[in-house]
Amino acid sequence: MPQSSVRNEQAAVAQAPARSRLGARLSLLWQQIKAARHSYFLMAPYMALFFLFTVVPVVISILLSFTYFNMLEFPKFIGWQNYARLFLEDDVFLIAIKNTILFAIITGPISYIACFVFAWIINELPPKLRAFMTLVFYAPSISGNVYFIWLMIFSGDRYGLANGVLIKLGVILEPILWLKTEAYVMPIIILVQLWLSLGTGFLAFIAGLQTVDRTLYEAGAVDGIRNRWQELWYITLPSMRPQLMFGAVIQLTASFAVADVSIALAGFPSVNYAAETVVTHLIDFGTNRFEMGYASAIATVLFLLMVGTNLLVQKLLRRVGE
Amino acid sequence: MAAILAPRKRVNRSLSGSVSLFLLLLLFGAFMVLPLIYAVNNAFKPLDEIFTFPPTLFVKNPTFSNFTDLMNLLGNTWVPFTRYAFNTIFITGLGIVGHVLLASAAAYPLAKHVFPGKGFLFQIVVLSLMFTPAVTAIPNYMILSWLGWIDTYWAVIIPAFAYSLGLYLMKQFMEQIPDALLEAAKIDGASEYRIWWTIVMPNVKPAWLTLIILLFQMLWGSDGNGYIYSEQLKTLHYAAGQIVQGGIARAGAGAAVALILMSVPITLFVFSQSRIIETMASSGMKD
C-alpha cells in the first residue's frame, strides 16, 4: 500500500499544476471574453441569424440524412440506408451526379478562366471603355434571372432564333425541339450557364488587376520579361493570388449549384432526366415527394462534394506562380 | 488603334497581340450582349414580328402594344399589379437595410478587434461561401415553420439579413481602415458602438453599395423561395414567371416583362459600378 499511496501523491503533485494551469487559462479566457464583450454584442444579431439559417441547418441536414422522415411523423433512425439507396438503387441520382460533375468540370474552369481573361483584356482599355465593357460582360448575371430569354432563342418552332437562322442557312430542314431532345439539353444549359457566369468573380478580378503594383511591371521589364504572357505569368497572377482564390470559390460554387436554369429551360423533370442535377433531384424529393430524410442525404452529399472540391482547389491555387 | 489599346504606354506590348485580344473581347462581348439586345427588341415588336420567319434580331415597326397588353393583363388579375410590385419593393428594401446594418456591425469586430473565437467564426463564414443555399433548404423550411414565418414576408427577408458573401466582402473592406483612426476615437472616449456608427460606417460607403447591389440582385429576382403561398404576398418575379409561361398569346407581354425586370438592376449597376469595383479590390482570400 505505501508504494501506491506514494505514487498517488506523486500523481496528485503532477496534476496540481496542470489543473491550476487549466484554471488560469480558463480565467484568462474569461477575462478576454469580458474585455471583448462589445465585439460580441456587435456580432450577436448577425451571428444569431447566420447560425440559425446556415450553420444549424447544415447540422440538422446531416442528422436527418440518417433517418426516415416525412414531415408528419417523428424522424426514424435508419442508419446508412438513405446513402445505400442513393448510390446503389437510384438511377436518376447517378444521372444527376454525372451532370453536376459535368457542370463543375466544364463550366467551372471555363467560366473561371473566362472571368480572368476578359477582366485582364478589359483592364488594358481606357477607363470609359473599360466601364462599358465591364457592364457588357456583367449585364447577363445582374439582369435578374432573365435567362428565360433563351427560351425564345431555343424555342422549338420556326420562329425561334436558333431554328430560324439554321433553316434559313439550310443547315437543317425542319425545326428542332432543342429543349426536348436529350442530346441538346445539356450543351444548351452549359451555354446559358456560361453566359450567366461572369458575376462576382469577374468583378473581383477586374478590381484585383487594378490594384497590382505598377512598379512591379517596370521592374519586370528591366529584369528581362519580354512579352505580355511572361508578364501575366510571373507578375500579374502571383500578385492576384487572393482574388484568384476568392473567384475560384465563387465560380465553383455557382457551377455546382445549377438548378434554376435547368428547370426554366428544360422543364422539371427534364426530358428523360437529361438535365437533372443534384440540386433539382434534391428539390424533387424535398418539395414534391416529402422524403425529407432521403433529400437530406442528397443535400449532405452535395455539401461534401462542394466543400471538398473547394478546399482542394484552394490548396492547388496556393501554388500559382511559385 | 494602338493608342486606344495601350493608353498607358506599357512595355512589352505587341500590336498584333493587342488587336487579336481586342477581337476576342468583341466576339465574346457580342455573345454576352446579343441575347439582351434581342430581348429589348422583342419587347417593342408587334406580335406578327415576334412570330415571323425568318426571325429578326432588330425591331422594324416599334410599338408599345406589348406594354399596354401587359398593363391590361395585370389590371385584370385578381391581385393588382401594384400589390406584386409593393411586395417586391418591400422585401428588397427591408432586406437590404437589415443586411447592411447587421453585416457591417458583425464585420467591424471581425476586421479590427482581437477576441477569442474570431478565427473560428470567420472560417465558418468562408466555409459557407463554398456551398449553395439549396443544401440547407429543408432544415430552413422546418426552422421557418417553427418560427411561424411560413407564408409571411419574413421568411424571405430575415434569412437574407445573414447572407454570408456580404459579411465577407464588408469585413475584407474594413481591414483597410487605418487603425490610427480608430485609436484616436478610442482615446477621445468614444464607445465601440459609436466608433462603428460614426467612424467605420462612413468610411465603408463603397462596400455598402456593393452589399446593396448583391442583395438587390438576390431579392429583386426572388419568387418567394417556396415559402410564400398567398397570392397577395407573392413577388413581381413570380407574377412575371406566370406571364412568361402563358405561351404564344402572352409572348409580347412576356418580352415586355423581361425588359422591365432586367432594366432596374442594370441601371443600378451603371451608377454604382466604380464603388463596387473599389470594394471588390479587397475581396481576396488571404491564408
Side-chain angles (χ1 to χ4, degrees):
Chain A
M1 280 302 147
Q3 246 182 340
S4 78
S5 77
V6 168
R7 214 179 290 150
N8 279 347
E9 255 167 54
Q10 278 174 340
V13 169
Q15 267 172 11
R19 203 177 292 150
S20 70
R21 218 183 299 144
L22 183 70
R25 205 182 289 168
L26 275 177
S27 79
L28 182 69
L29 183 70
W30 179 239
Q31 290 297 323
Q32 287 173 333
I33 289 176
K34 246 169 79 178
R37 63 186 179 283
H38 298 300
S39 306
Y40 294 110
F41 287 148
L42 277 168
M43 288 190 307
Y46 179 92
M47 286 300 169
L49 293 179
F50 177 70
F51 273 78
L52 185 63
F53 292 113
T54 303
V55 181
V56 172
V58 169
V59 176
I60 295 180
S61 196
I62 293 172
L63 293 178
L64 279 183
S65 72
F66 295 103
T67 66
Y68 171 82
F69 182 38
N70 55 15
M71 292 290 262
L72 300 173
E73 302 160 272
F74 193 79
K76 197 167 73 206
F77 180 77
I78 55 167
W80 293 92
Q81 276 183 40
N82 286 328
Y83 291 97
R85 184 178 151 205
L86 208 50
F87 286 101
L88 302 177
E89 292 166 32
D90 190 342
D91 293 339
V92 180
F93 178 70
L94 296 183
I95 300 176
I97 208 153
K98 188 199 80 195
N99 284 342
T100 299
I101 291 174
L102 209 62
F103 280 122
I105 60 176
I106 296 177
T107 63
I110 292 182
S111 73
Y112 184 60
I113 292 168
C115 279
F116 183 80
V117 167
F118 293 121
W120 181 62
I121 304 176
I122 286 172
N123 187 51
E124 308 233 321
L125 301 171
K128 285 260 166 60
L129 193 55
R130 188 201 301 156
F132 176 73
M133 289 312 281
T134 306
L135 176 65
V136 164
F137 279 83
Y138 188 55
S141 57
I142 201 189
S143 53
N145 305 345
V146 293
Y147 37 70
F148 52 75
I149 297 169
W150 292 87
L151 280 177
M152 304 189 233
I153 296 175
F154 285 110
S155 114
D157 50 27
R158 295 193 310 153
Y159 310 116
L161 206 56
N163 276 330
V165 170
L166 289 177
I167 291 175
K168 192 90 205 321
L169 292 174
V171 178
I172 53 175
L173 293 175
E174 40 191 58
I176 294 174
L177 287 168
W178 297 104
L179 298 167
K180 295 284 169 235
T181 310
E182 275 183 64
Y184 297 125
V185 165
M186 278 296 279
I188 289 173
I189 293 174
I190 288 176
L191 187 78
V192 176
Q193 204 60 41
L194 285 173
W195 181 70
L196 282 169
S197 66
L198 274 78
T200 312
F202 172 67
L203 291 186
F205 290 164
I206 290 207
L209 283 162
Q210 289 177 16
T211 59
V212 177
D213 189 355
R214 297 270 143 225
T215 56
L216 285 178
Y217 293 118
E218 286 151 27
V222 174
D223 287 347
I225 281 183
R226 280 193 312 278
N227 54 43
R228 73 178 84 214
W229 312 109
Q230 286 184 350
E231 193 181 280
L232 177 67
W233 184 252
Y234 291 109
I235 301 173
T236 312
L237 284 177
S239 316
M240 282 186 58
R241 198 177 305 155
Q243 273 89 12
L244 289 175
M245 309 233 293
F246 173 70
V249 169
I250 299 294
Q251 295 308 120
L252 208 57
T253 305
S255 62
F256 269 112
V258 178
D260 293 350
V261 174
S262 166
I263 291 173
L265 296 186
F268 184 50
S270 48
V271 51
N272 203 14
Y273 299 107
E276 188 91 343
T277 69
V278 176
V279 177
T280 62
H281 205 56
L282 170 62
I283 294 171
D284 189 11
F285 280 91
T287 61
N288 294 353
R289 308 191 199 198
F290 291 105
E291 291 193 37
M292 296 307 182
Y294 192 62
S296 296
I298 301 172
T300 304
V301 169
L302 182 66
F303 172 77
L304 294 176
L305 195 65
M306 292 181 84
V307 173
T309 317
N310 263 306
L311 292 176
L312 187 74
V313 167
Q314 294 283 296
K315 214 170 187 175
L316 293 176
L317 281 176
R318 291 212 176 103
R319 300 209 185 130
V320 170
E322 265 171 18
Chain B
M1 188 85 171
I4 300 173
L5 298 177
R8 280 189 296 271
K9 233 184 154 165
R10 294 252 303 266
V11 284
N12 293 327
R13 289 290 180 274
S14 67
L15 182 65
S16 61
S18 295
V19 171
S20 50
L21 285 178
F22 193 67
L23 288 177
L24 187 77
L25 191 70
L26 284 185
L27 184 71
F28 282 90
F31 166 66
M32 299 307 278
V33 86
L34 278 179
L36 295 175
I37 290 177
Y38 179 61
V40 171
N41 276 283
N42 263 6
F44 295 102
K45 281 178 190 169
L47 211 53
D48 60 314
E49 248 185 81
I50 292 180
F51 294 102
T52 181
F53 180 84
T56 54
L57 187 56
F58 294 103
V59 56
K60 283 190 203 101
N61 306 305
T63 162
F64 278 100
S65 66
N66 291 332
F67 292 90
T68 48
D69 275 1
L70 176 66
M71 286 304 139
N72 289 337
L73 204 61
L74 291 168
N76 294 332
T77 48
W78 171 61
V79 174
F81 169 72
T82 46
R83 182 67 201 234
Y84 291 118
F86 170 80
N87 293 339
T88 290
I89 292 167
F90 183 77
I91 288 173
T92 309
L94 203 61
I96 286 174
V97 172
H99 174 65
V100 171
L101 283 177
L102 261 57
S104 47
Y108 167 51
L110 282 173
K112 287 296 175 187
H113 293 169
V114 181
F115 54 86
K118 171 177 158 167
F120 171 72
L121 286 175
F122 190 61
Q123 281 301 314
I124 299 186
V125 172
V126 172
L127 206 65
S128 77
L129 297 177
M130 297 184 177
F131 58 85
T132 159
V135 167
T136 57
I138 292 168
N140 267 339
Y141 189 94
M142 292 159 58
I143 290 170
L144 287 168
S145 91
W146 173 67
L147 289 167
W149 289 350
I150 294 295
D151 205 19
T152 67
Y153 294 128
W154 311 118
V156 181
I157 296 174
I158 305 288
F161 285 2
Y163 184 50
S164 49
L165 184 58
L167 173 70
Y168 174 82
L169 291 172
M170 188 55 107
K171 183 250 177 195
Q172 300 297 78
F173 192 76
M174 279 184 181
E175 284 185 341
Q176 303 174 328
I177 298 175
D179 286 329
L181 201 65
L182 306 177
E183 288 301 323
K186 216 171 277 175
I187 290 165
D188 288 346
S191 71
E192 288 296 346
Y193 309 100
R194 232 188 123 73
I195 295 177
W196 167 63
W197 186 247
T198 59
I199 298 175
V200 175
M201 286 300 268
N203 271 296
V204 295
K205 277 188 189 147
W208 294 12
L209 262 175
T210 307
L211 266 58
I212 289 171
I213 201 123
L214 285 176
L215 257 261
F216 186 89
Q217 204 177 339
M218 186 169 89
L219 295 173
W220 180 257
S222 166
D223 54 7
N225 306 346
Y227 301 140
I228 292 181
Y229 307 119
S230 305
E231 194 63 32
Q232 69 270 24
L233 296 180
K234 282 185 172 166
T235 63
L236 208 52
H237 199 270
Y238 171 84
Q242 297 299 105
I243 292 167
V244 172
Q245 280 164 21
I248 293 170
R250 303 270 175 86
V257 159
L259 178 62
I260 293 172
L261 276 182
M262 69 192 218
S263 56
V264 178
I266 288 181
T267 313
L268 205 65
F269 178 71
V270 168
F271 289 109
S272 53
Q273 188 184 14
S274 62
R275 304 299 188 84
I276 292 172
I277 301 285
E278 201 180 319
T279 310
M280 292 292 174
S282 61
S283 67
M285 283 188 177
K286 296 134 209 159
D287 305 271

